[in-house]
Amino acid sequence: MTTPDTTMDPPAHLMSVPEPPQPVEGCDVCQALDVQRREARGRGDYSAATDASVEIRRHPHANRKRR
């Protein structure tokens, strides 16, 4: 008979939640997505809020740095 392994796994390392992207000043698309995001959060639709954040982050601007 063997002894069962009773050691614990090492702790999980969780990442911190990144700040939501900020809409670019003067961009109508970014501003509209920001409104959609706020409305979605207000009604508890966090999936739609996350989708809007992704769209803001991916929306191209000539002066925005690429990751």
Side-chain angles (χ1 to χ4, degrees):
M1 193 172 219
T2 61
T3 306
D5 187 9
T6 58
T7 59
M8 295 174 59
D9 288 336
H13 296 282
L14 304 177
M15 296 174 32
S16 61
V17 177
E19 291 294 318
Q22 297 301 310
V24 173
E25 229 13 79
C27 176
D28 293 339
V29 173
C30 285
Q31 299 304 318
L33 288 167
D34 188 43
V35 169
Q36 289 177 13
R37 178 173 59 185
R38 283 187 273 123
E39 289 173 350
R41 284 183 188 152
R43 66 178 180 270
D45 187 353
Y46 299 108
S47 177
T50 299
D51 290 345
S53 288
V54 169
E55 290 296 321
I56 291 170
R57 186 173 285 119
R58 290 182 177 174
H59 185 244
H61 293 95
N63 59 351
R64 186 180 275 184
K65 292 180 185 176
R66 290 272 182 204
R67 289 185 173 200

